[in-house]
Amino acid sequence: MTPTETLSISEELRERFAQANNVLVLTGAGVSAESGVPTFRGGGNTTVWKGMPFDVISSAGMIARDLPAVWEWFNYRRGLLAVLKPNPGHEAIAGWQTRFRDLTLVTQNIDGLHQAAGSHNVIELHGNIWRARCFECKARHHARELKFDNNVPVCFDCGGNLRPDVVLFGEMLPAGAFEAAAAKAHTCDLCFVVGTSAVVYPAASIPEIARGASAYVVEVNPERTALSDLCDEVLTGKAGEILPLFDQ
Ligand code: APR
């Protein structure tokens, strides 16, 4: 049974929103769905590239086996993303930066749409598709400047091969990213969980940490998720339609 759409914000939540100082927002693919970015699980199709499932072509094993193929796949995805714009969900969150004493935005998305909407200091748990990283000297370069040599871009600093600066299946999160998010989850008053199926860890543990630290946890999603029962409030619907309601 499809959950009933949330069309207004409860008095309780409005009050907590008005009083909050430290707010943490965790986002997933769903916050970019209204911008045209397919989700991985809920409602979107499972992506297959040249006969390879998403989690094969986007894996540490594939980088070791066939780096040019991985770049071809990420160049294709960047091509799709390049024309997409942030939606009212991204914009609402960007606006909250100046509303709260401390707003922490943690995203699982690699699409850069939060930053395109004006969000700063975004904690990117899974990296960013608009960056490349050198295998040798670890330097990071912007994807728009890459020079390809035999279908693999090379580092401007040391000439080493570059890889997408994205966390692939089977890889660890960027050093310090999860720890920074978890530290904020321990101290936030209000925690929003927007557009994630909450099945991928450790990202999905962040709202659990916030809940454990007595924060008020609010989910925004058109579907119920693995996290819904843990939330203080579940707002059923699209991020781009619900998040702007807080500023009305
Ligand atoms: N607004 C809010 N939520 C939405 C919307 C929308 N407009 N459209 C879809 N959703 C919800 C879906 O119901 C689903 O629960 O967004 C969620 C998307 O879930 P996933 O596709 O699993 O994406 P995510 O949770 O971000 O995946 C986590 O898994 O594949 C890896 O690295 C990848 O970062 C990704 C991680």
Side-chain angles (χ1 to χ4, degrees), residues 76-97:
Y76 162 74
R77 291 182 69 193
R78 251 199 325 281
L80 294 178
L81 284 173
V83 295
L84 302 181
K85 299 272 177 279
N87 65 60
H90 296 110
E91 284 148 11
I93 296 168
W96 294 356
Q97 288 175 124

Side-chain angles (χ1 to χ4, degrees), residues 27-34 38-44 54 107-110 126 167 169 194-200 203 220-225 237-240:
T27 66
V31 78
S32 294
E34 291 150 88
T39 59
F40 301 99
R41 299 168 192 88
F54 168 76
T107 191
Q108 299 167 83
N109 302 345
I110 62 172
H126 298 157
V167 176
F169 286 92
V194 183
T196 180
S197 56
V199 295
V200 172
V220 178
N221 197 312
E223 296 174 8
R224 288 192 70 76
T225 75
K238 298 179 174 173

